[in-house]
């Protein structure tokens, strides 16, 4: 036990001093300073691009900040540009991310031991000791599981709690200065959120300092003692949570108060221009509940939603890659239900997936083969691919989309991320789709390539193609969309048009839970 | 404002045209150079026995069966799967073909048809197990290979079938056209056919796509399971053809061919082939060069009087080295080391 005078000296568990980080022209963090009280639950809030993730990466040492900033942990000062993952750990920082790295096919005890070390005697694991240690941890954190349970059999909230217990297991030696929880509830089902929040409260009551990153404002108000808000890489405020309403938080996050001028989408509204290309009615399945909307010909519809809102699942369902449980989808007047991707493709639907590396490109193949994989039929006569025509088309695509590559035979792995994305985009635009689904189309893409991608989309719009775009980058949605619908917890809650499509509005709407709306 | 993510680092920086890239040249033609080196060395060491028409003719007669076996292997390998049962399939198809002629007095064409069909059927079973039941391909096909070995032994009692075979087939090893052994010509025809399927048809392209990234393939509308299934059927049919050719090369159908060591040279050749021509990729051309590199080296070694056990050591080492080398090349291309599931 520490005595009172010591406590008074060391009230801040962590102090962040003039932390900056720039990526080329972009200033992700700009001289951010604030402090976090020991033993408190400290909310860290901000819209997309506010610098939250950059700050956490800097704390974890995975992406050191610029020279000049520093951290102070319980009195130990560290230059921000010298931070490393090892140092971060030895200073007592622990991180649990939204998809905790647990091993579902191993027991709770094994998962706990992997975080620290297996107790051994002469190389043999002392299972009894490990089980006892695990059970102590589970009891201490009141986790409803046993050491021998398979982690995969537990509920998601408990899996996250196991990850937290694993991170905190050496806390007895006062080694943990702060636990950072990065959107721990983003992918949890609603009814499990409360279980996790209770657990977080217990961790705090046990004396741990917790930095809680979340987009769910109702949670933040319920749970946290203090909040820090970042906006555009700058520190806005650090203050006690008490007295803050959801509207007040949104105002701080967005920068100014917003009048509720937007049209609340009671029901699906007809597309503004021309005949509608796509009509989605009461679509359900996965996280989605009763989703209805229209997309017009030549229209770009944006979907603004947070991680876990169902935005990716929505696109997958329209592309035949996920099964829907209910509802109807009408494409150009005829009802469609795609059992697999190729049916959606045949009907003129295309999808540029979120994770380019995992689901978009074929790393071992050439640029040319990556381009033509979805429209090989166009070059095939009597079962044989016409190599000359395929090459011509590839060169055409490379020129049209300004893909920077040595030639069409170069491996796609030799291209930069932005140029790989252009290849994926070109692959689908070559099919002249009626409906193009874009999932984070410019993630990890540099500014120049981004403009090229937008230009390619615009060119196809004039041919009557319709687009549904999902993006975490709300500036991007504001730039490319004719209309934006807001997806929250699997439901469409709002719709924005024209001048209302701004980053601030979207941030406001995706954050507002509606619970304290007048 | 937006977080600029670190883009994936360029594995192979785009090369400017013009200057000759020697690293790339040696990488692409290393195996051919090595083959030429081996031929030169043994020709100098044994000018009277190695560097003769008779010896080269013998290599060109003996190796085609192994070459077709190796070509059978690379089809599922391109899709990221191993078929270790091709040796056993070859053995079974040879027995089916020989038995059809010897025990059932069927004409040659029908017997060959049955042999190839039996191979394709085994391939369909393998494909179902791997693609639809999700069994690891090495384990699944190893199980099938073991079953086939048992069936063959049970059917033949371990005795080769050598009587009642069509002489057209059994004499094929001594036939040649313009001095080129017929077996070699047949191998070339099969090689061209498989090369065509793998590189000139949508099927071959889809198979390569599934092998490169199954998730991307699914989202490009490729039916991955069916494609993998078909690759095993092709491998089985090719192994069946190799079984028929084996009767021709050996003059009988022996039950002793079904063991896994039989396919080690084929496996080594497939991976050696993936270090050459288009490094990191399995190709028919590379595989054939690999087979002839191994066959020539072993022929040369035996002519300089090396103990027979060296052959096993050489083949085993070749497999390990070839796989290690091609895995490194693959990592350079794709950043991933693992092959197959």
């Amino acid at each position: 036990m520490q005595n009172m005078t010591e406590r008074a000296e060391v009230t801040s568990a962590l102090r962040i001093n003039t932390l900056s980080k720039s990526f080329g022209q972009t200033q992700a963090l700009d001289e951010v300073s604030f402090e976090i009280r020991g033993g408190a639950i400290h909310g860290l809030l901000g819209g997309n691009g506010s610098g939250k993730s950059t700050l956490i990466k800097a704390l974890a040492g995975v992406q050191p900040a610029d020279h000049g900033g520093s951290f102070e942990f319980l009195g130990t000062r560290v230059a921000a540009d010298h931070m490393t993952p090892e140092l971060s750990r030895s200073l007592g920082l622990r991180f649990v991310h939204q998809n905790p790295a647990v091993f579902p096919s191993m027991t709770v005890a094994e998962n706990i031991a992997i975080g620290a070390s297996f107790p051994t005697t002469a190389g043999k694991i002392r299972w009894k000791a490990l089980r006892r240690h695990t059970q102590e941890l589970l009891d201490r954190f009141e986790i409803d599981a046993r050491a021998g349970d398979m982690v995969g059999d537990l509920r998601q909230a408990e899996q996250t709690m196991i990850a937290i217990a694993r991170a905190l297991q050496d806390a007895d030696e006062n080694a943990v200065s702060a636990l950072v929880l990065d959107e721990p509830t983003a992918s949890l089902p609603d009814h499990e959120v409360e279980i996790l929040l209770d657990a977080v409260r217990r961790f705090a009551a046990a004396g741990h300092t917790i930095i809680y990153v979340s987009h769910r404002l109702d949670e933040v108000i319920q749970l946290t003692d203090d909040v820090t808000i970042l906006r555009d890489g700058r520190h806005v405020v650090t203050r006690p949570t008490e007295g803050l309403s959801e509207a007040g938080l949104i105002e701080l996050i967005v920068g100014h108060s917003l009048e509720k001028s937007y049209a609340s989408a009671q029901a699906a509204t007809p597309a503004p221009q021309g005949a509608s290309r796509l009509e989605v009615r009461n679509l359900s399945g996965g996280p989605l509940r009763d989703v209805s909307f229209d997309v017009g010909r030549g229209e770009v519809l944006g979907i603004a939603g947070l991680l876990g809102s169902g935005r990716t699942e929505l696109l997958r369902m329209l592309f035949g890659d996920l099964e829907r449980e209910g509802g109807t989808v009408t494409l150009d007047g005829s009802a469609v239900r795609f059992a697999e991707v190729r049916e959606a493709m045949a009907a003129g639907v295309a999808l540029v997936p979120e994770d380019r590396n995992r689901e978009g490109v074929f790393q071992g193949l050439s640029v040319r083969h990556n381009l033509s994989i979805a429209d090989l039929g166009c070059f095939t006569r009597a079962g044989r691919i016409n190599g000359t025509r395929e090459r011509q088309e590839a060169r055409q695509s490379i020129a049209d989309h300004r893909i920077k590559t040595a030639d069409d035979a170069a491996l796609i792995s030799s291209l930069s991320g932005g140029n790989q994305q252009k290849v994926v985009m070109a692959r689908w635009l070559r099919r002249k789709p009626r409906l193009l689904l874009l999932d984070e189309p410019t993630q990890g893409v540099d500014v120049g390539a981004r403009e090229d991608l937008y230009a390619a989309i615009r060119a196809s719009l004039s041919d009557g193609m319709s687009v549904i775009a999902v993006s975490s980058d709300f500036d991007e949605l504001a730039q490319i969309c004719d209309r934006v619908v807001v997806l929250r917890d699997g439901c469409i809650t709002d719709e924005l048009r024209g001048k209302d499509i701004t980053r601030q509005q979207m941030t406001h709407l995706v954050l507002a839970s509606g619970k304290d709306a007048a | 404002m937006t977080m600029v993510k670190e883009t994936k680092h360029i594995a192979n920086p785009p090369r400017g045209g013009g200057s000759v890239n020697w690293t790339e040249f040696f990488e692409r033609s290393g195996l051919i150079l090595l083959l030429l080196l081996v031929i030169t060395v043994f020709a100098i060491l044994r000018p009277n026995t190695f560097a003769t028409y008779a010896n080269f003719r013998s290599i060109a007669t003996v190796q085609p069966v192994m070459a077709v076996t190796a070509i059978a292997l690379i089809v599922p390998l391109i899709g990221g799967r191993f078929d270790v049962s091709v040796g056993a399939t070859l053995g079974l198809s040879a027995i089916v073909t020989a038995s059809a002629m010897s025990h059932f007095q069927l004409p040659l064409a029908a017997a060959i048809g049955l042999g190839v069909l039996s191979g394709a059927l085994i391939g369909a079973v393998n494909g179902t197990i791997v693609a639809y039941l999700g069994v690891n391909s090495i384990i699944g096909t190893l199980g099938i290979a073991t079953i086939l070995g048992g069936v063959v032994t049970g059917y033949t009692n371990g005795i080769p079938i050598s009587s009642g075979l069509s002489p057209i087939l059994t004499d094929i090893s001594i036939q040649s056209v313009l001095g080129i052994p017929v077996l070699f010509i047949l191998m070339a025809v099969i090689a061209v056919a498989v090369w065509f399927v793998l590189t000139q048809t949508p099927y071959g392209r889809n198979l390569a796509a599934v092998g490169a990234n199954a998730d991307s393939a699914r989202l490009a509308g490729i039916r991955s399971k069916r494609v993998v299934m078909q690759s095993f059927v092709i491998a089985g049919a090719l192994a069946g053809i190799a079984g028929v050719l084996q009767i021709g090369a050996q003059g009988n159908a022996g039950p002793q061919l079904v063991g896994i060591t039989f396919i080690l040279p084929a496996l080594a050749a497939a991976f050696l082939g993936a270090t050459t021509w288009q490094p990191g990729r399995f190709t028919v051309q590379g595989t054939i060069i690999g087979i002839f590199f191994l066959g020539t080296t072993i022929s040369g070694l035996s002519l300089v009087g090396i103990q027979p056990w060296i052959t096993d050591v050489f083949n085993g080492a070749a497999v390990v080295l070839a796989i290690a080398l091609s895995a490194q090349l693959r990592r350079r291309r794709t950043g991933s080391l693992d092959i197959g599931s």
Side-chain angles (χ1 to χ4, degrees):
Chain A
M1 260 281 134
Q2 291 159 306
N3 65 42
M4 288 306 290
T5 50
E6 249 183 66
R7 280 193 75 85
E9 277 168 24
V10 199
T11 46
S12 74
L14 169 63
R15 195 198 295 265
I16 292 165
N17 301 314
T18 60
L19 190 70
S20 294
K21 174 77 187 173
S22 55
F23 298 96
Q25 296 286 312
T26 317
Q27 193 74 29
L29 283 176
D30 191 2
E31 304 214 335
V32 169
S33 306
F34 64 97
E35 66 184 67
I36 289 165
R37 286 191 296 136
I41 305 180
H42 194 106
L44 181 59
L45 301 174
N48 293 321
S50 62
K52 273 179 332 219
S53 323
T54 312
L55 178 85
I56 289 173
K57 284 180 186 163
L59 265 177
V62 294
Q63 195 181 68
D66 296 342
H67 179 73
S70 67
F71 303 114
E72 276 173 56
F73 303 88
L74 304 165
T76 314
R77 196 184 177 95
V78 178
D81 52 338
H82 289 157
M83 196 64 158
T84 63
E86 295 74 32
L87 191 56
S88 173
R89 190 174 169 82
S90 72
L91 288 165
L93 279 170
R94 298 289 183 272
F95 297 82
V96 174
H97 298 286
Q98 54 209 2
N99 296 310
V102 290
F103 302 90
S105 61
M106 297 174 92
T107 65
V108 172
E110 286 166 327
N111 268 280
I112 294 286
I114 278 164
S117 60
F118 285 92
T120 56
T121 308
K124 182 196 173 295
I125 296 173
R126 283 158 41 221
W127 288 108
K128 225 181 213 167
L130 175 58
R131 265 194 300 274
R132 198 172 339 107
H133 168 68
T134 304
Q135 202 57 55
E136 277 167 23
L137 269 182
L138 293 175
D139 294 345
R140 175 143 56 97
F141 294 124
E142 297 174 46
I143 300 170
D144 187 17
R146 277 168 314 177
D149 288 348
M150 243 7 126
V151 166
D153 296 339
L154 302 175
R155 286 182 294 185
Q156 268 177 290
E158 276 142 5
Q159 296 188 14
T160 306
M161 283 152 71
I162 301 282
I164 295 173
R166 181 172 69 187
L168 293 178
Q169 60 185 312
D170 45 9
D172 314 335
E173 301 108 60
N174 255 339
V176 176
S177 55
L179 169 70
V180 179
L181 298 175
D182 190 0
E183 291 202 56
T185 55
S187 48
L188 287 189
D190 272 347
H191 58 277
E192 291 186 20
V193 168
E194 207 47 50
I195 304 174
L196 186 70
L197 295 187
D198 279 342
V200 172
R201 286 192 194 96
R202 286 198 300 276
F203 295 134
H208 296 296
T209 305
I210 291 167
I211 301 174
Y212 190 84
V213 182
S214 178
H215 282 301
R216 299 196 182 184
L217 301 184
D218 46 334
E219 269 170 42
V220 171
I221 289 172
Q222 265 186 55
L223 185 70
T224 60
D225 302 310
D226 305 308
V227 286
T228 288
I229 289 157
L230 301 180
R231 189 197 313 138
D232 298 333
R234 290 165 203 269
H235 178 247
V236 176
V237 71
T238 297
R239 56 159 289 175
T241 311
E242 204 176 328
L244 273 174
S245 65
E246 214 173 89
L249 274 177
I250 292 175
E251 201 176 316
L252 290 169
I253 292 168
V254 176
H256 51 82
S257 71
L258 286 164
E259 288 157 39
K260 296 203 171 185
S261 63
Y262 51 86
S264 200
Q266 248 84 49
T269 40
Q273 73 246 46
S276 85
R277 160 124 309 150
L278 182 78
E279 292 170 28
V280 175
R281 292 290 176 272
N282 308 102
L283 187 70
S284 297
L288 299 175
R289 280 170 287 153
D290 274 338
V291 169
S292 299
F293 61 89
D294 284 8
V295 187
R297 281 172 209 269
E299 190 189 22
V300 181
L301 176 74
I303 294 182
L306 299 170
L307 193 79
S309 61
R311 56 191 190 184
T312 294
E313 290 83 353
L314 176 58
L315 297 190
R316 293 299 165 101
M317 258 177 233
L318 295 175
F319 197 49
D321 192 45
L322 262 185
E323 215 177 326
R324 65 177 192 247
E325 283 155 23
T328 56
V329 175
T330 313
L331 184 64
D332 280 332
S334 47
V336 290
R337 186 176 199 112
F338 305 126
E340 54 180 349
V341 168
R342 53 194 297 132
E343 289 176 19
M345 285 167 62
V349 184
L351 168 75
V352 174
E354 180 179 12
D355 190 334
R356 176 173 57 243
N357 263 317
R358 265 193 42 226
E359 304 188 309
V361 298
F362 298 93
Q363 289 293 3
L365 304 185
S366 66
V367 171
R368 186 201 315 152
H369 291 183
N370 264 282
L371 282 166
S372 59
I373 194 69
D375 64 348
L376 278 174
C378 302
F379 320 115
T380 308
R381 291 286 170 277
R384 177 166 195 232
I385 298 168
N386 182 335
T388 317
R389 278 205 46 210
E390 189 192 10
R391 212 163 297 131
Q392 279 168 1
E393 287 284 334
R395 291 190 181 140
Q396 189 67 46
S397 295
I398 289 169
D400 287 351
H401 292 265
R402 314 211 308 187
I403 297 166
K404 289 200 190 71
T405 174
D407 58 25
D408 60 299
L411 289 176
I412 196 162
S413 52
S414 69
L415 271 57
S416 71
N419 282 294
Q420 292 188 14
Q421 185 73 353
K422 288 186 202 170
V423 170
V424 177
M425 185 73 82
R427 174 198 297 167
W428 291 107
L429 288 179
R430 266 163 52 156
R431 294 179 54 87
K432 303 216 175 307
R434 290 194 274 180
L435 175 65
L436 175 67
L437 309 171
L438 299 173
D439 200 351
E440 302 284 358
T442 61
Q443 203 172 57
V445 168
D446 61 274
V447 183
R450 190 175 286 222
E451 288 309 317
D452 290 341
L453 286 165
Y454 294 157
I457 297 167
R458 269 196 303 275
S460 296
L461 287 175
S462 53
D463 300 339
M465 179 182 77
S466 305
V467 176
I468 301 178
V470 163
S471 179
S472 305
D473 179 351
F474 292 161
D475 280 329
E476 171 169 278
L477 291 181
Q479 190 182 342
I480 65 173
C481 296
D482 302 312
R483 202 155 52 94
V484 170
V485 292
V486 175
L487 192 64
R488 211 192 128 90
D489 294 331
C491 298
I492 288 186
T493 55
D494 298 279
E495 180 179 319
L496 296 171
R497 292 170 188 229
K499 283 198 286 292
D500 288 336
I501 307 178
T502 60
R503 167 155 62 109
Q504 288 79 4
Q505 276 284 16
M506 285 181 258
T507 307
H508 182 134
L509 293 173
V510 298
L511 292 174
S513 70
K515 284 177 192 165
D516 73 350
Chain B
M1 46 122 319
T2 350
M3 276 268 319
V4 179
K5 282 209 179 159
E6 209 183 343
T7 50
K8 191 175 181 296
H9 265 290
I10 296 173
N12 256 334
R15 291 171 288 271
S19 70
V20 180
N21 187 326
W22 287 103
T23 326
E24 195 186 295
F25 173 75
F26 278 110
E27 214 174 272
R28 290 176 64 92
S29 33
L31 193 61
I32 302 172
L33 296 177
L34 213 57
L35 174 59
L36 294 177
L37 180 75
V38 165
I39 292 174
T40 314
V41 167
F42 287 121
I44 293 167
L45 287 176
R46 289 288 179 276
N48 299 327
T49 47
F50 182 83
T52 58
Y53 170 73
N55 186 47
F56 286 119
R57 201 198 128 80
S58 144
I59 293 172
T61 307
V62 173
Q63 294 307 322
V65 174
M66 197 51 86
V68 174
T69 311
I71 292 169
L73 268 175
I74 66 168
V75 180
L77 273 175
I78 289 171
R81 309 296 199 278
F82 266 103
D83 184 352
V84 298
S85 77
V86 288
T89 307
L90 181 160
L92 183 107
S93 294
I95 295 294
V96 167
T97 307
S99 171
M101 287 186 281
S102 176
H103 304 160
F104 298 95
Q105 284 80 44
L106 289 178
L108 177 62
I112 291 175
L114 280 175
V116 177
L117 186 69
S118 64
L121 280 175
I122 295 164
V125 172
N126 282 328
T128 307
I129 291 172
V130 173
Y132 293 99
L133 303 183
V135 177
N136 174 291
S137 61
I138 297 181
I139 307 296
T141 55
L142 185 61
I144 293 295
T146 312
I147 293 171
L148 295 178
V151 168
V152 165
T153 310
Y155 183 72
T156 60
N157 292 318
I159 300 157
I161 302 174
S162 49
S163 65
L165 303 179
S166 163
I168 300 174
L169 184 58
T170 50
D171 289 350
I172 207 169
S173 61
I174 52 170
Q175 309 285 340
S176 54
V177 176
L178 302 173
I180 304 167
V182 168
L183 279 170
F184 187 86
I185 294 169
L186 288 173
M187 175 204 77
V189 170
I190 292 160
V192 169
V194 176
W195 167 84
F196 183 88
V197 171
L198 291 179
T199 65
Q200 305 296 306
T201 67
Y203 174 74
R205 208 55 81 64
N206 290 343
L207 181 63
V210 170
N213 186 337
D215 286 320
S216 295
R218 190 189 78 242
L219 289 177
I222 297 170
R223 290 173 167 147
S224 301
K225 287 179 182 173
R226 185 181 298 190
V227 167
V228 168
M229 166 84 178
Q230 287 162 341
S231 74
F232 278 94
V233 174
I234 294 173
L238 286 169
I241 294 173
V244 174
L245 295 182
Q246 173 68 19
I247 300 175
Q250 201 174 272
N252 62 35
Q256 73 285 3
L257 290 173
V258 293
I260 194 159
T261 48
F262 175 77
I263 64 156
L264 268 188
L267 203 56
F271 280 91
L272 276 176
T275 64
T276 193
W277 209 279
Q278 291 174 303
R281 246 194 262 189
F282 297 100
T283 57
V284 173
Q285 305 92 306
T287 304
I288 289 179
I289 297 167
I291 279 288
F292 282 94
F293 167 72
L294 294 174
T296 308
T297 308
I298 285 171
S299 155
L301 286 174
S302 62
L303 287 174
V304 296
I306 270 175
Q307 299 277 326
W309 60 264
I310 294 282
T311 308
D312 283 347
V313 173
F314 177 78
N315 278 336
V319 170
V320 175
L321 277 176
I323 293 182
L325 204 59
S326 64
Q328 293 307 316
L329 289 171
R330 189 183 159 86
R331 182 165 62 179
R332 278 239 306 273
R333 289 160 59 97
T334 66
S336 116
L337 246 184
D338 47 57
I339 300 158
S341 59

